């Protein structure tokens, strides 16, 4: 197994330095720090053996993969690998930009494309990094979880024989008996909430000290108060912060859960886009969408067959000078018809998707779809319908195409391409643009082409583009293209006697709807929040150990000693120790001892840097 | 409009106050540099002799603790106090400016780059001043106020847009939460970054760097020890990291409603993800044998560079879904 399991049962991954920091004397120290034997274990990747063998090599590789150093390297690699996806255009976001880039950089583009730089986040190398990272994470976290599960049922470490080396300590005397003192401290440490104690506490008794221990007290300055032989003492050993490791594990496991939910969602999801004009509707069926994409495990049965009608679309734009024509509100009023036949009015807004039968409907775009009727030279209706004009700028200068293939036999087919301007501003040179997004002074400006539209060959065409390569434009005598202008309700003649064009009085709006169903959303959210919670708990829960000992001194008063130890730097440790001491009834703090302890702790810090030799217990 | 103009004036006032504080803090630091008779310096000069003689470099980290801390008497730090007072004044001016801006625009005052810079600067200054009430971190002052002046002037000159409403895609309470938390995280990251840079400098000085060993860097001895700076930086960074994680999650929730997907590798999303990973690496580095201390501090520098790029570069260079409101 990767890493090592320290003697107190805590799993420690390769390369992690996360012990209780300051020197823990006596028994605790030998178990935690394990100076001599531990050193070898800490560096197992020394070029130890030419005779590793297959199993050995695999084990070595696994240890490497689950080590902290490799996790660190993979994290940095992941950060670096994510960069090109923001610099280069990506297919799933802007396929047109990729095509443009490939055209501009033929050589580099081709190589970048081969290496997956236009699909960075689904590329082999990006996936390899995060999959390795997650394997490393699981390999590290699972054994740690099991070790933590065992540790959760463990008891706090025994009271050390001497407190003088601890970074935080306090001494006091009192009239209360040692048992009362120890009980008071234990109660304070457990905290007020009985089902969630702050500290896990063990109350204990120590037998009377032997003569050997007493002789160990002769060291100057670094000793605690004199403890007479022949006096038993009451002890408290307590540990808090099990939740820190719990939070850490929850965070990492939640990340695994997040990855699995996202992947599941990718497999099960579907997404469809539909353009709907006012008064019309669509049904939730694959064939009714303009575009439809789905995951590998998608089944058509997951489309609930509801239908929806767009009753009205309302937009608002700012008209003040500061933010002229900035969008302020888009609202689509719709009627949803459930499969049961039940109907209800609903609203779809930007930022407020409509949820119907587990599918979310988003308002992604809007524009004008004016009614256009074209009659051919013989006066027959050759085309009649709503034409979607796609906005090209913030003023809704919108581009659209009308294809009229159904002219009377013998006549040329007609193609119309041009702009719809909600508020037309015609320049003296004849060019026109829109000056406001709302239909204040609408105008349709179209160029006319004749010839074979190529629709009869059956090849699929973009309905928003007119391939003018094989078409003849209608021109004035001066050679300029003819522009047909029409206002709502007007019927205008097409050039060259091609017929007439009528723009409807009403200007129906259209909305571009995006319908999406992803059954994993709830899980994705739950695991994200779980990760956030785990992270918070793991970063802000202090890990502390507190010990206390109370005994009757020679002068008859009860002496109380409290000491604390923390994992990592912990500014609140001394306060914790002081709080514990404050629980002692009738306590009189002994400042002279505190002074001694301050100096002793400085000495302890100096000593902590040096290899600890003395690990034996004086008491046993 | 008058409120908006008043807000602009107040921002200039705050920038001026911060510039004054910067000068006060800088002079204070230079005074500290001058106060050279110090146990540490005594140790250092001894080391230099040893180095000059070709002897091994003796780490001076274990300067005798019992030596008098400042034999030449305490340095007069009144200017640092002046700097602190002016910093508080600047924070107050900035807060009023932000509130007025919000009233003038009739919405939460952090919807574009200009406002983001104002509020982010305010958070950085407030975190610095707030931490200072609990422990003396006035040595950070010159750097925090320096960065803040830079941000405020840059915001006024380059990012300014008139106070007005926002388009429908931004009209949601998530604007308050998601962007607000992101700004707080950025402000805290800024202070943590300054702390980590000081840690690196101090560490370099303590380890006998030739450049940092000179008298001009003497003020470094009056900051905290590298390990104390590290621990302060870690505490700030862990708060900011949690906030940043929340920014990511909140942004995903909002994107799910606004754009129809919770994650789409939009440039802004990528550049929020990258610092998150870098700071995650920092948290791991801290507990990795051989990577804690100085090396971990470099992760903070890298992470903050990514945060800054997320705020500036992504808005100005890339054209993504976060490209609202001009800037």
């Amino acid at each position: 197994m990767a890493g090592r399991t320290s003697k107190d049962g805590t799993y420690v991954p390769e390369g992690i330095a996360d012990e209780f920091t300051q020197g823990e004397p006596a028994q605790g120290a030998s178990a935690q720090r394990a100076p001599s034997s531990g050193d070898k274990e800490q560096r197992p990747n020394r070029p130890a053996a030419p005779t590793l063998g297959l199993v050995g090599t695999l084990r070595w590789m696994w240890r490497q993969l689950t080590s902290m150093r490799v996790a660190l390297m993979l994290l940095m690699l992941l950060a670096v690998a994510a960069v090109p996806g923001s610099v280069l255009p990506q297919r799933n976001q802007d396929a047109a930009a990729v095509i443009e880039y490939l055209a501009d950089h033929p050589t580099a583009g081709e190589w970048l494309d081969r290496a997956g730089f236009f699909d960075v986040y689904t590329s082999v190398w990006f996936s390899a990094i995060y999959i390795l990272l997650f394997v490393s994470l699981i390999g590290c976290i699972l054994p740690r979880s099991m070790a933590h599960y065992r540790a959760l049922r463990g008891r706090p470490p025994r009271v050390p024989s001497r407190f003088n080396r601890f970074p935080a300590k306090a001494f006091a005397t009192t009239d209360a008996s040692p048992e009362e003192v120890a009980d008071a401290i234990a109660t304070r440490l457990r905290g007020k909430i009985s089902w969630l104690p702050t500290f896990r506490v063990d109350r204990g008794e120590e037998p009377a000290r032997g003569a050997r221990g007493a002789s160990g007290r002769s060291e100057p300055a670094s000793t605690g108060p004199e403890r007479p032989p022949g006096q038993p003492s009451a002890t408290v050993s307590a540990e808090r912060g099990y939740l820190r490791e719990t939070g850490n594990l929850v965070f990492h496991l939640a990340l695994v859960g997040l990855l699995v939910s996202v992947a599941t969602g990718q497999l099960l999801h579907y997404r469809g886009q539909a353009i709907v004009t006012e008064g019309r509707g669509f049904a939730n069926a694959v064939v009714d969408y303009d575009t439809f994409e789905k995951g590998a495990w998608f089944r058509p049965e997951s489309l609930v067959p509801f239908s929806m009608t767009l009753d009205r679309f309302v937009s608002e734009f700012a008209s003040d000078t500061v933010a002229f024509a900035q969008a302020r509100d888009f609202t689509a009023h719709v009627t949803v018809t459930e499969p049961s036949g039940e109907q209800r009015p609903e609203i779809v807004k930007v930022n407020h998707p409509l949820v119907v039968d587990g599918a979310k409907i988003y308002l992604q775009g809007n524009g004008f779809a004016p009614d256009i009727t074209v009659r051919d030279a013989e006066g027959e209706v050759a085309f009649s319908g709503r034409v979607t004009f796609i906005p090209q700028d913030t003023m809704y200068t919108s581009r659209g195409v009308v294809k009229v293939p159904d002219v009377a036999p013998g006549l040329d087919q007609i193609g119309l391409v041009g702009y719809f301007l909600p508020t037309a501003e015609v320049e003296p040179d004849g060019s026109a643009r829109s000056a406001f997004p709302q239909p204040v002074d609408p105008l349709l400006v179209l160029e006319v082409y004749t010839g074979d539209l190529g629709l009869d060959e059956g090849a699929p065409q973009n309905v928003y583009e007119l391939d003018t390569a094989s078409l003849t434009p209608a021109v004035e005598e001066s050679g300029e293209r003819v522009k047909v202008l029409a206002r709502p309700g007007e019927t205008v003649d097409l050039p060259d006697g091609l017929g007439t064009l009528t723009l409807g009085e009403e200007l129906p709006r259209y909305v571009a709807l995006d319908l999406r169903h992803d059954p994993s959303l709830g899980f994705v959210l739950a695991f994200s929040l779980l990760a956030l919670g785990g992270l918070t708990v793991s970063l802000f829960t202090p890990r502390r150990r507190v010990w206390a000992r109370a005994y009757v001194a020679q002068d008859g008063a009860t002496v109380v000693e409290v000491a604390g130890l923390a994992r990592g730097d912990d500014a609140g440790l001394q306060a914790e120790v002081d709080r514990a001491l404050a629980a002692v009834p009738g306590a009189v703090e002994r400042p002279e001892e505190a002074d001694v302890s301050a100096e002793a702790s400085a000495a302890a810090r100096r000593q902590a840097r040096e290899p600890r030799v003395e690990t034996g217990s004086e008491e046993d | 409009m008058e409120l908006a103009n008043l807000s602009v004036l107040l921002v200039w006032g705050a920038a001026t106050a911060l510039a004054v504080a910067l000068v006060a803090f800088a002079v204070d630091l230079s005074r500290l540099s001058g106060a050279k008779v110090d146990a540490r310096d005594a140790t250092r000069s001894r080391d230099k002799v040893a180095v000059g003689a070709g002897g091994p470099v003796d780490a001076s980290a274990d300067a005798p603790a019992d030596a008098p801390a400042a034999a030449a008497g305490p340095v007069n730090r009144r200017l640092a106090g002046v700097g602190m007072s002016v910093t508080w004044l600047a924070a107050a001016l900035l807060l009023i400016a932000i509130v007025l801006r919000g009233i003038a625009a009739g919405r939460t005052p952090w919807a574009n780059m200009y406002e983001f810079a104002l509020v982010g600067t305010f958070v950085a200054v407030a975190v610095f001043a707030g931490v200072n009430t609990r422990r003396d971190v006035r040595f950070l002052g010159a750097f925090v106020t320096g960065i803040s002046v830079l941000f405020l002037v840059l915001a006024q000159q380059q990012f300014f847009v008139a106070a007005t409403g926002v388009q429908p895609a931004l009209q949601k309470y998530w604007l308050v939460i998601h962007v607000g938390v992101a700004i707080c995280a950025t402000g805290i990251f800024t202070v943590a970054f300054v702390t980590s840079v000081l840690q690196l400098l101090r560490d370099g000085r303590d380890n006998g760097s030739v450049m940092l060993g000179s008298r001009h860097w003497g003020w470094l001895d009056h900051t905290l020890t590298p390990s104390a700076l590290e621990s302060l930086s870690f505490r700030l960074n862990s708060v900011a990291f949690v906030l940043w994680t929340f920014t990511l999650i909140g942004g995903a929730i909002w994107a799910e409603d606004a754009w129809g997907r919770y994650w789409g590798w939009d440039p802004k999303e990528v550049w929020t993800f990258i610092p998150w990973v870098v700071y995650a690496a920092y948290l791991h580095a801290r507990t990795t044998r051989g990577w804690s201390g100085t090396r971990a501090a470099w992760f903070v520098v890298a992470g903050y560079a990514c945060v800054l790029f997320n705020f500036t570069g992504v808005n100005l260079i890339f054209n993504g879904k976060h490209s609202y409101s001009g800037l």
Side-chain angles (χ1 to χ4, degrees):
Chain A
M1 187 162 293
R4 63 208 150 85
T5 308
S6 69
K7 283 171 195 161
D8 62 351
T10 318
Y11 170 79
V12 185
E14 278 302 325
I16 198 169
D18 190 27
E19 289 99 348
F20 276 86
T21 43
Q22 299 293 342
E24 188 174 7
Q27 311 96 324
S30 59
Q32 280 268 329
R33 302 186 71 90
S36 55
S37 61
D39 251 4
K40 224 182 275 167
E41 285 175 343
Q42 283 158 20
R43 268 173 269 139
N45 50 335
R46 222 177 248 173
T51 53
L52 267 178
L54 179 65
V55 179
T57 313
L58 286 176
R59 180 177 293 148
W60 180 82
M61 282 171 63
W62 179 247
R63 278 188 181 182
Q64 287 295 309
L65 184 62
T66 56
S67 77
M68 289 292 283
R69 271 179 300 270
V70 171
L72 205 56
M73 198 187 76
L74 287 170
L75 274 171
M76 290 315 283
L77 260 182
L78 184 68
V80 172
V83 173
S86 69
V87 179
L88 294 167
Q90 298 294 297
R91 278 215 176 79
N92 59 348
Q93 287 164 359
D94 195 349
V98 175
I99 293 165
E100 196 182 322
Y101 188 93
L102 286 172
D104 292 348
H105 310 82
T107 315
E110 194 199 328
W111 283 101
L112 286 173
D113 199 11
R114 277 187 203 172
F117 275 89
F118 300 113
D119 305 281
V120 165
Y121 305 108
T122 50
S123 68
V124 176
W125 42 275
F126 191 80
S127 311
I129 294 171
Y130 74 74
I131 288 170
L132 273 178
L133 192 59
F134 270 93
V135 171
S136 166
L137 187 159
I138 293 167
C140 183
I141 288 301
L142 281 188
R144 238 174 127 163
S145 302
M146 287 184 282
H148 184 57
Y149 176 71
R150 283 193 296 273
L152 277 179
R153 291 176 302 173
R155 301 309 309 175
R158 278 166 46 191
V159 181
S161 58
R162 295 193 300 169
F163 286 180
N164 54 321
R165 284 222 186 99
F166 284 94
K169 52 191 147 317
F171 300 95
T173 53
T174 175
D175 299 333
S177 74
E179 279 71 29
E180 284 169 356
V181 168
D183 286 341
I185 292 177
T187 309
R188 169 65 60 93
L189 287 173
R190 280 195 190 98
K192 285 175 186 146
I193 312 165
S194 59
W195 54 270
L196 188 67
T198 314
F199 274 85
R200 177 171 299 176
V201 181
D202 272 354
R203 266 280 280 112
E205 309 290 336
E206 272 176 6
R209 290 166 55 80
R212 185 174 155 257
S215 70
R217 294 278 159 206
S218 57
E219 283 176 44
S222 64
T223 49
E226 188 64 25
R227 188 167 141 218
Q231 291 292 343
S233 50
T235 61
V236 176
S237 55
E239 181 162 0
R240 70 173 291 183
Y242 295 87
L243 271 180
R244 190 183 182 92
E245 177 73 352
T246 310
N248 182 25
L249 297 171
V250 164
F251 169 72
H252 284 92
L253 291 172
L255 287 187
V256 177
L258 183 65
L259 185 74
V260 171
S261 339
V262 170
T264 314
Q266 281 296 308
L267 291 170
L268 289 173
H269 88 291
Y270 68 81
R271 176 195 288 274
Q273 271 113 26
I275 284 185
V276 183
T277 58
E278 279 176 316
R280 311 274 170 88
F282 83 101
N284 187 26
V286 176
V287 292
D288 242 32
Y289 289 104
D290 301 326
T291 61
F292 193 80
E293 78 175 58
K294 55 193 193 305
W297 293 354
F298 163 81
R299 285 165 307 151
E301 300 95 89
S302 56
L303 285 173
V304 180
F306 65 87
S307 65
M308 202 178 90
T309 311
L310 176 67
D311 302 321
R312 204 155 47 89
F313 175 77
V314 183
S315 59
E316 278 175 39
F317 294 87
S319 54
D320 56 295
T321 49
V322 175
F324 185 69
Q326 252 191 33
R328 286 287 173 262
D329 185 48
F330 297 126
T331 307
H333 300 265
V334 300
T335 302
V336 173
T337 310
E338 294 282 2
S340 61
E342 180 208 344
Q343 289 199 332
R344 62 171 193 274
E346 292 280 3
I347 282 178
V348 194
K349 287 165 89 93
V350 177
N351 259 326
H352 297 272
L354 169 64
V355 183
V356 180
D357 298 325
K360 286 184 171 179
I361 302 167
Y362 299 87
L363 179 59
Q364 295 291 54
N366 66 82
F368 293 91
D371 254 318
I372 293 177
T373 305
V374 177
R375 290 169 195 273
D376 62 20
E378 298 177 4
E380 299 293 323
V381 173
F383 174 90
S384 181
R386 290 174 177 181
V387 180
T388 307
F389 281 75
I390 299 169
Q392 308 289 307
D393 61 19
T394 53
M395 300 299 176
Y396 281 61
T397 301
S398 311
R399 194 167 187 276
V401 167
V402 187
K403 297 179 183 178
V404 191
D406 299 327
V407 288
L411 296 177
D412 270 341
Q413 293 179 336
I414 303 169
L416 303 163
V417 58
Y419 291 93
F420 175 78
L421 312 170
T423 303
E425 245 180 23
V426 183
E427 305 289 330
D429 66 348
S431 66
R433 60 185 190 89
S434 179
F436 195 69
Q438 299 285 40
V440 178
D441 181 16
L443 181 69
L444 189 63
V445 183
L446 295 173
E447 291 180 355
V448 183
Y449 292 85
T450 52
D452 183 2
L453 295 176
L455 290 170
D456 306 329
E457 290 143 25
Q461 276 196 13
N462 188 339
V463 292
Y464 301 111
E465 293 294 334
L466 186 67
D467 182 11
T468 57
S470 57
L471 299 177
T472 317
V475 291
E476 311 264 8
E477 284 166 11
S478 62
E480 272 182 41
R481 304 240 169 119
V482 175
K483 287 203 172 70
V484 174
L485 308 182
R487 295 196 148 73
E490 282 184 354
T491 298
V492 295
D493 284 335
L494 294 176
D496 306 331
L498 288 169
T500 60
L501 177 141
T502 309
L503 181 60
E505 186 70 51
E506 299 289 317
L507 290 172
R509 308 291 301 254
Y510 77 83
V511 293
L513 295 177
D514 207 342
L515 185 138
R516 176 158 163 268
H517 175 68
D518 184 346
S520 73
L521 280 183
F523 291 97
V524 171
L525 180 65
F527 280 120
S528 304
L529 294 180
L530 206 57
L532 181 67
L535 179 71
T536 311
V537 167
S538 80
L539 281 176
F540 302 125
T541 308
R543 274 208 79 166
R544 292 173 187 153
R545 289 175 178 173
V546 172
W547 293 278
R549 177 181 283 122
Y551 52 87
V552 180
Q554 274 163 335
D555 60 1
T558 301
V559 174
V560 191
E561 308 170 22
V562 186
L565 185 66
R567 178 171 286 191
D569 178 80
D570 188 342
L573 183 62
Q574 183 63 48
E576 184 90 82
V577 167
D578 292 344
R579 268 200 304 281
L581 193 69
V584 174
V588 180
E589 201 167 328
R590 289 164 57 173
E592 74 275 15
E593 297 293 355
D595 283 348
V596 168
S597 67
E599 234 171 76
S601 73
R605 272 198 290 279
R606 273 201 295 281
Q607 273 182 332
R609 294 209 190 92
E610 285 146 28
R612 186 168 310 283
V613 187
E614 174 211 10
T615 53
S617 159
E618 309 158 36
E619 289 189 20
D620 305 283
Chain B
M1 279 322 283
E2 282 189 356
L3 279 183
N5 289 337
L6 188 56
S7 164
V8 171
L9 283 179
L10 283 171
V11 173
W12 280 120
T16 312
L18 285 171
V20 171
L22 168 61
V23 171
F25 281 127
V27 173
D28 174 59
L29 284 185
S30 73
R31 279 193 187 166
L32 289 178
S33 293
K36 58 177 187 274
V37 188
D38 172 278
R40 172 169 301 284
D41 271 17
T43 323
R44 182 178 316 286
S45 51
R46 200 185 62 210
D47 283 350
K48 274 183 187 153
V49 173
V51 174
V57 180
D58 176 28
S60 61
D62 276 333
D66 52 346
V75 184
N76 179 1
R77 297 204 62 187
R78 250 174 69 195
L79 274 176
V82 171
M84 257 349 275
S85 309
V86 183
T87 302
W88 278 108
L89 173 72
L93 289 177
L94 205 48
L95 183 63
I96 301 171
I98 291 164
V99 170
L100 288 184
R101 171 98 185 168
I103 296 171
R107 56 169 169 75
T108 323
W110 47 75
N112 54 49
M113 208 168 160
Y114 171 70
E115 292 162 6
F116 195 104
L118 292 195
V119 183
T121 308
F122 170 75
V123 171
V125 170
V127 166
F128 160 63
V131 171
N132 194 63
T133 59
R134 305 195 60 169
R135 61 196 296 181
D136 184 3
V137 289
R138 286 178 296 180
F139 57 86
L140 291 176
F143 308 95
V144 174
T145 53
I147 291 180
S148 301
V149 171
L150 192 70
F151 279 177
L152 285 186
V153 175
L154 206 63
Q156 293 277 37
Q157 298 285 355
Q158 298 294 324
F159 306 153
F160 183 80
V161 290
T164 181
V166 289
Q167 50 180 295
L170 291 177
Q171 292 166 10
K172 194 150 193 184
Y173 52 86
W174 277 110
L175 175 67
V176 183
I177 305 170
H178 165 67
V179 186
V181 172
I183 295 172
C184 287
T186 309
I188 300 173
F189 275 140
T190 304
V191 181
F193 161 76
V194 170
T195 313
S196 281
V197 168
L198 285 184
Q199 178 202 337
L200 288 170
L201 291 175
R202 175 75 192 262
D203 203 68
R205 183 174 169 86
D206 288 358
N207 285 305
S209 154
V210 177
M211 190 190 83
L212 296 171
S214 77
R215 254 194 74 224
H216 305 292
W217 296 87
W219 54 270
L220 279 173
D221 298 333
H222 297 269
T223 61
L224 302 172
T225 63
S227 67
L229 286 168
E230 203 284 330
S231 122
L232 179 62
S233 171
F234 166 65
R235 253 179 264 164
L236 290 168
N237 273 318
S238 40
V239 172
F241 183 70
V242 168
L243 294 179
W244 198 256
T245 310
F246 182 84
T247 306
L248 270 175
I249 296 173
I253 297 173
W254 191 9
E256 171 67 24
D257 276 356
W259 300 330
R261 85 286 186 292
Y262 52 82
W263 192 262
W265 298 106
D266 173 75
K268 197 73 161 186
E269 290 171 341
V270 173
W271 281 98
T272 309
F273 173 73
I274 289 173
W276 189 82
V277 172
V278 174
Y279 279 105
Y282 158 72
L283 292 179
H284 284 85
R286 276 191 86 250
T287 56
T288 301
R289 200 165 282 117
W291 282 84
S292 53
T294 317
R295 283 193 184 178
W298 282 110
F299 282 85
V300 177
V301 174
Y304 187 66
C306 295
V307 168
L308 274 193
F309 185 77
N310 173 41
F311 166 52
T312 56
V314 172
N315 291 32
L316 301 173
I317 300 171
F318 303 132
N319 186 24
K321 279 184 171 289
H322 278 80
S323 310
Y324 293 115
S325 64
L327 279 170

